Amino acid sequence: MSKAVKFSILDLSPVPQGSDVRTALDRSLSLAQHAEALGYERFWMAEHHGMEGIASAATSVALSHIGHGTKTIRVGAGGIMLPNHSPIVIAEQFGTLEALFPGRVDLGLGRAPGSDQRMAMALRRNLNSDANEFPRDVVELQALLEGDEQLPIQATPGQGSKVPLYILGSSLFGAQLAAALGLPYAFASHFAPQMLDQALEIYRSDFKPSNQLSEPYVMCGFNIFAADTDEEAEYLSSSMIQSFVALRTGNPGKMQPPVEGYRESLPPQAQQMLAGIMQGSAVGTPGNVKTAVEAFLERTGADELIVSGSIFDQSAREKSYALAAEVRDSLAA
């Protein structure tokens, strides 16, 4: 490999069966502290609503918990679903985080609801919008964080904080927007890899330099389930696979314990669906994970992998990320 690729973590703060939100958030903090010691670049949390198995709905509040328990790792949103909020509110929230944790706050922005239509209506009160609203909101938020004097209002806190923005996406729209605004682009290949190659090609070919970024910067979501044996890694991954199946069948809930042979027990249609979703994944021993990561980096040329891996048992979860960090160091060497 010609460049050292950064590894980061995307955490949904999963709530395990039999547990609660406080436990999930404390597990996330423990993971962030573990990641900091292992040299991960950043720890991001995601905005999802109306799901009892995800504890990070109030994302900026959850990030404050993470920031106060860490010292050096970057903390941020991967992402904030901007259509759910006015730009001034997000500028104030992330301006506050930047004041608390100077120089280590990121803000990733997406345009999906992070919920179903009923929850989106409860959040927004109005679902009537045009296709240009998200780009306009991104530009307004950027101006608020920079403290543009031409604005009729200012974000306090937030004004002049210059929190770096990232555009998230799983389609060509986000790639085009990130390129036009000269922002880093994070693709959700950990659960929606279908348009990955085309989106990255568009982003890189259309990229226009900006004050934040002089050349394209690509982050890719990637699932890693690493263990001492391939069988154990497959077993650990079954909790997340159960979550995928539950979500796709309209029955989301708390994270379930792992099940031996779960993937093989599914009907062919579900196995085919999972094969599509899990393209951006590595499940196995560190050696097999390294092989899969190398192939994915060869395919994408990503500058950074943001690693996901919801595992029921906390010690196994932390060990998986430790083994992933060994893979990162092996690749760099």
Side-chain angles (χ1 to χ4, degrees):
M1 289 177 60
S2 60
K3 63 181 180 182
V5 175
K6 295 177 180 178
F7 276 43
S8 296
I9 291 178
L10 174 64
D11 181 45
L12 301 184
S13 200
V15 184
Q17 184 67 41
S19 188
D20 56 21
V21 167
R22 175 59 189 266
T23 301
L25 291 170
D26 284 345
R27 280 170 47 118
S28 290
L29 175 56
S30 176
L31 180 61
Q33 292 167 335
H34 184 60
E36 184 171 77
L38 291 168
Y40 280 86
E41 178 73 10
R42 62 190 96 238
F43 188 92
W44 279 8
M45 304 182 85
E47 178 187 350
H48 291 274
H49 298 280
M51 297 185 184
E52 65 172 335
I54 296 177
S56 56
T59 313
S60 59
V61 180
L63 288 172
S64 183
H65 182 56
I66 303 302
H68 277 295
T70 54
K71 295 182 175 65
T72 57
I73 194 168
R74 298 190 67 86
V75 295
I80 290 294
M81 301 300 107
L82 193 54
N84 294 340
H85 314 277
S86 70
I88 186 72
V89 169
I90 299 305
E92 290 172 343
Q93 290 178 2
F94 280 78
T96 300
L97 289 171
E98 176 62 26
L100 290 169
F101 318 117
R104 60 187 188 106
V105 175
D106 302 321
L107 177 48
L109 301 169
R111 67 179 183 129
S115 59
D116 61 23
Q117 287 296 299
R118 292 176 302 168
M119 185 60 70
M121 177 63 79
L123 287 162
R124 305 178 190 183
R125 300 291 183 182
N126 176 20
L127 294 181
N128 297 321
S129 62
D130 63 67
N132 294 317
E133 194 164 319
F134 178 65
R136 281 199 301 264
D137 284 350
V138 172
V139 171
E140 181 182 339
L141 175 56
Q142 191 172 38
L144 286 164
L145 292 170
E146 290 176 354
D148 189 335
E149 295 179 355
Q150 297 180 49
L151 292 174
I153 57 171
Q154 294 294 339
T156 306
Q159 176 183 0
S161 61
K162 298 182 179 178
V163 174
L165 300 183
Y166 295 72
I167 299 297
L168 280 56
S170 58
S171 69
L172 306 185
F173 181 93
Q176 293 164 341
L177 180 61
L181 297 179
L183 295 175
Y185 182 49
F187 192 91
S189 35
H190 60 299
F191 73 90
Q194 288 75 15
M195 303 184 79
L196 170 64
D197 302 306
Q198 191 178 356
L200 296 189
E201 182 180 350
I202 287 173
Y203 170 66
R204 290 182 172 123
S205 63
D206 293 354
F207 181 85
K208 295 179 173 56
S210 67
N211 291 336
Q212 181 177 327
L213 196 62
S214 60
E215 56 187 28
Y217 190 88
V218 168
M219 299 169 66
C220 288
F222 195 79
N223 300 304
I224 291 180
F225 295 90
D228 292 331
T229 66
D230 289 339
E231 293 75 17
E232 184 186 1
E234 182 66 32
Y235 174 68
L236 295 174
S237 74
S238 66
S239 291
M240 190 186 76
I241 292 172
Q242 290 177 74
S243 297
F244 277 147
V245 172
L247 186 62
R248 291 297 176 98
T249 55
N251 190 35
K254 291 186 175 181
M255 180 169 60
Q256 298 298 307
V259 174
E260 201 79 52
Y262 176 75
R263 197 192 304 224
E264 293 76 12
S265 73
L266 293 169
Q269 187 176 1
Q271 291 194 39
Q272 187 176 1
M273 177 267 291
L274 283 171
I277 290 175
M278 299 284 284
Q279 290 177 49
S281 305
V283 181
T285 62
N288 288 335
V289 167
K290 181 181 178 183
T291 299
V293 169
E294 284 180 313
F296 186 78
L297 292 175
E298 183 70 26
R299 170 185 172 183
T300 62
D303 301 286
E304 184 172 339
L305 288 187
I306 186 150
V307 179
S308 180
S310 295
I311 293 174
F312 190 85
D313 179 76
Q314 181 72 0
S315 60
R317 183 188 191 198
E318 294 186 0
K319 181 176 179 178
S320 179
Y321 279 108
L323 294 174
E326 291 178 12
V327 169
R328 173 202 63 200
D329 296 342
S330 174
L331 290 169

